[in-house]
Amino acid sequence: MIPPTLSDGYRQFRRDRFLTEESRYRDLAQGQSPRTMVIACADSRVDPATIFAVAPGEMFVVRNVAALVPPYLPDSGYHGTSAALEFAVTGLGISDIVVLGHGLCGGIAASLGAADTPPPGQFIGPWVELLSPVRDEVLRDDTLTGPDARQRALEWMGVLFSIG
């Protein structure tokens, strides 16, 4: 069952926005051709389309915990972010890729906590452990005093890790 707030929102979309931009949506039904891909955190407070003020079809977006780009691992595992990157570049001809980190990221906090105690769950711990090399660098930095400074530093380092 879909929550009533989402049903109401969908009806409002169909009644208002869809009607005013119907030609855009009809064009998009024929295919997409965004030039930019954004890899963003799954955090519900960080909406790339809102932040960058783009219309539907202007950006290809993948969201995951902490906006991480995992290393290239050509195996039989499931690689959602890697598949999205591959499709963006080879299928859509994306020319720009943006990694959108943010403050107060729960995934980053989980990575910092994982230095002492693995986060609960089967998937979160291994995922945020991707950051362990840069996390350990942040934890060794004596100039970063306090948890807030370490959090901010790892948020920046996480973006650099994903770009690297």
Side-chain angles (χ1 to χ4, degrees):
M1 181 90 188
I2 190 165
T5 56
L6 296 183
S7 295
D8 293 345
Y10 178 70
R11 281 192 290 281
Q12 181 180 345
F13 165 79
R14 294 286 300 183
R15 184 180 59 245
D16 300 334
R17 186 167 184 180
F18 182 79
L19 290 178
T20 60
E21 298 184 57
E22 188 170 355
S23 65
R24 171 188 296 279
Y25 288 106
R26 294 214 184 282
D27 290 343
L28 289 172
Q30 305 306 311
Q32 60 176 320
S33 56
R35 294 177 27 171
T36 302
M37 175 182 193
V38 175
I39 300 165
C41 186
D43 190 307
S44 63
R45 301 166 295 179
V46 182
D47 178 28
T50 300
I51 290 168
F52 294 117
V54 297
E58 292 182 353
M59 212 168 45
F60 187 72
V61 178
V62 65
R63 296 176 75 166
N64 65 46
V65 173
L68 296 178
V69 176
Y72 175 71
L73 293 173
D75 60 20
S76 61
Y78 300 104
H79 301 285
T81 301
S82 299
L85 275 162
E86 181 178 61
F87 177 68
V89 173
T90 64
L92 296 175
I94 293 290
S95 58
D96 299 303
I97 300 174
V98 174
V99 176
L100 177 61
H102 69 96
L104 304 175
C105 179
I108 297 296
S111 176
L112 283 167
D116 299 321
T117 307
Q122 185 175 355
F123 301 104
I124 297 168
W127 183 254
V128 298
E129 196 59 23
L130 288 170
L131 286 172
S132 63
V134 291
R135 176 200 64 214
D136 294 346
E137 187 179 325
V138 165
L139 292 174
R140 284 190 302 271
D141 187 340
D142 295 335
T143 65
L144 298 170
T145 56
D148 292 344
R150 288 189 289 276
Q151 172 85 18
R152 279 190 303 275
L154 190 53
E155 287 163 354
W156 281 101
M157 295 292 286
V159 170
L160 295 174
F161 169 84
S162 287
I163 292 171

